């Protein structure tokens, strides 16, 4: 792969972004899989949620943030830690930045098809993700490879937004109520024949409340998300392009400790509170959240 000059520096950071705090669930997995890599995280919190917006709007925001991470931070790799932005705009970012490695995320239908015993998988995601051509193609490909498996989906309007609000404080009852409603719409959950025994969290916000989701599921229902597969994919991609910082070549100087920058286009308070809650065990001390005017 030929790479543009700005991205051949192995010491450059990885750029990660989401509409808001959801991408922190992917950031956690990236930190675990790539402990030597510097990370710059952008939350487009001034425009969250994306899930009920138009493709044109999501593409414009995704392109602007990708450009910022490439030009202002020299990111050597972009991780779109948002299913909604990946489905609507990953192809545009790739087209606009030939040779720049871009990792997109998709709902974990393939792992779920391997996991299910009843042959019935439930998918929770945003309206935009579920309506996308990307999702239709993924579902068709997985169904054709696993003809015994069927998928039921529910568009979870408002759920990501309620998780953003929960991060700022409150008891989370709005998220729990929405969850109960959407799980109810999915159909029978459990290990009985034909019931849904595997639940795909197809939005990166949802793994942040995994515990609360698990509490509402009957025993025997497994949860799958895409954080770990995405982190592994990012690692493989960096390795194959010679951009992995954790593996210095020749007599290169020892590595400096990895850094983390957190940027928000909207509320710095929300991202700070969310990072404290979901990243603290891995990143001490947490950096201040910077405002990004974009
Ligand atoms: N976290 C995002 C995703 O993975 C989207 C949430 C939203 O902005 O609606 O789809």
């Amino acid at each position: 792969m030929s790479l543009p000059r700005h991205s051949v520096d192995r010491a450059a950071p990885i750029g990660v972004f989401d509409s808001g705090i959801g991408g922190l669930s992917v950031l956690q997995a990236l930190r675990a899989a790539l402990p030597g890599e510097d990370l710059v995280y952008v939350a487009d919190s001034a425009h969250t949620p994306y899930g009920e917006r138009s493709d044109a709007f999501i593409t414009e925001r995704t392109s602007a943030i990708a450009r910022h991470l490439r030009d202002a931070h020299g990111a050597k790799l972009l991780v779109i830690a948002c299913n909604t932005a990946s489905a609507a705009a990953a192809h545009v970012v790739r087209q606009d930045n030939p040779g720049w490695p871009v990792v997109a995320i998709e709902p974990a239908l393939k792992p779920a098809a391997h996991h299910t015993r009843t042959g019935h998988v439930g998918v929770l995601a945003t309206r935009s993700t579920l309506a996308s051509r990307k999702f239709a193609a993924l579902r068709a490909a997985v169904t054709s490879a696993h003809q015994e498996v069927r998928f039921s989906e529910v568009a979870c309007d408002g759920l990501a937004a309620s998780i953003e609000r929960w991060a700022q404080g409150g008891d989370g009852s709005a998220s729990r109520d929405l969850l109960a409603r959407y799980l109810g719409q999915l159909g029978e959950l459990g290990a009985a024949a034909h019931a849904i025994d595997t639940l795909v969290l197809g939005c990166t916000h949802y793994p942040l409340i995994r515990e609360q989701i698990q509490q509402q599921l009957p025993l025997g229902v497994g949860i799958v998300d895409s954080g770990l597969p995405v982190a592994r994919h990012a690692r493989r991609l960096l390795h194959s392009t010679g951009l992995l910082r954790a593996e210095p070549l020749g007599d290169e100087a020892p590595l400096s400790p990895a850094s983390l920058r957190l940027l928000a286009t909207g509320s710095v308070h929300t991202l700070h509170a969310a990072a404290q809650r979901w990243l603290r065990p891995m990143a001490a001390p947490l950096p201040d959240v910077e405002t990004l005017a974009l």
Side-chain angles (χ1 to χ4, degrees):
M1 180 184 284
S2 77
L3 293 166
R5 276 186 63 170
H6 64 260
S7 63
V8 293
D9 182 1
R10 269 179 296 139
I14 297 172
V16 184
F17 110 90
D18 178 47
S19 64
I21 61 173
L24 294 180
S25 65
V26 178
L27 192 74
Q28 253 179 330
L30 286 166
R31 288 180 65 87
L34 294 158
E37 299 290 342
D38 291 342
L39 297 162
V40 181
Y41 182 89
V42 173
D44 193 14
S45 35
H47 302 96
T48 196
Y50 284 179
E52 291 134 61
R53 305 265 205 176
S54 70
D55 276 8
F57 180 88
I58 299 166
T59 303
E60 189 194 312
R61 293 305 304 161
T62 302
S63 298
I65 292 166
R67 247 190 329 270
H68 173 78
L69 285 164
R70 187 198 61 193
D71 296 343
H73 299 274
K76 63 182 175 182
L77 169 79
L78 175 69
V79 177
I80 306 179
C82 176
N83 291 269
T84 309
S86 293
H91 62 288
V92 177
V93 175
R94 289 193 173 110
Q95 245 164 41
D96 292 348
N97 300 276
W100 192 31
V102 173
V103 172
I105 191 168
E106 64 185 19
L109 301 196
K110 287 176 212 162
H114 288 284
H115 183 274
T116 180
R117 294 285 161 264
T118 61
H120 195 178
V121 171
V123 184
L124 301 182
T126 67
R127 181 164 297 279
S128 174
T129 295
L130 294 179
S132 67
R133 263 190 257 142
K134 263 271 198 56
F135 182 79
L138 173 68
R139 190 183 199 273
V142 178
T143 309
S144 108
H146 300 268
Q147 288 178 9
E148 71 292 358
V149 176
R150 76 188 172 99
F151 294 95
S152 297
E153 300 102 17
V154 169
C156 299
D157 291 351
L159 185 56
S162 77
I163 297 169
E164 292 276 331
R165 286 194 299 275
W166 192 357
Q168 297 168 36
D171 62 1
S173 54
S175 299
R176 272 193 282 265
D177 290 352
L178 282 173
L179 248 181
R181 186 199 305 169
Y182 295 136
L183 289 174
Q185 287 172 13
L186 263 183
E188 192 193 346
L189 293 148
H194 311 301
I196 291 171
D197 71 345
T198 305
L199 184 66
V200 175
L201 305 185
C203 164
T204 55
H205 279 69
Y206 308 162
L208 299 179
I209 59 160
R210 194 185 180 103
E211 215 177 288
Q212 289 76 15
I213 296 172
Q214 196 82 65
Q215 280 165 6
Q216 293 199 23
L217 295 175
L219 276 179
V221 179
I223 293 178
V224 291
D225 70 76
S226 311
L228 198 62
V230 159
R232 288 197 184 124
H233 180 55
R235 193 187 161 81
R236 275 195 305 273
L237 197 55
L238 286 179
H239 187 261
S240 67
T241 49
L243 288 170
L244 196 60
R245 185 168 181 248
E247 291 174 8
L249 295 175
D251 55 1
E252 195 176 72
L255 301 171
S256 51
S259 70
L260 171 66
R261 286 180 72 179
L262 298 172
L263 289 80
T265 59
S267 162
V268 291
H269 170 68
T270 305
L271 183 57
H272 179 76
Q276 266 196 326
R277 185 154 157 193
W278 285 291
L279 292 183
R280 185 164 245 175
M282 308 187 69
L286 271 176
D288 286 340
V289 177
E290 304 163 52
T291 298
L292 173 63
L294 197 70

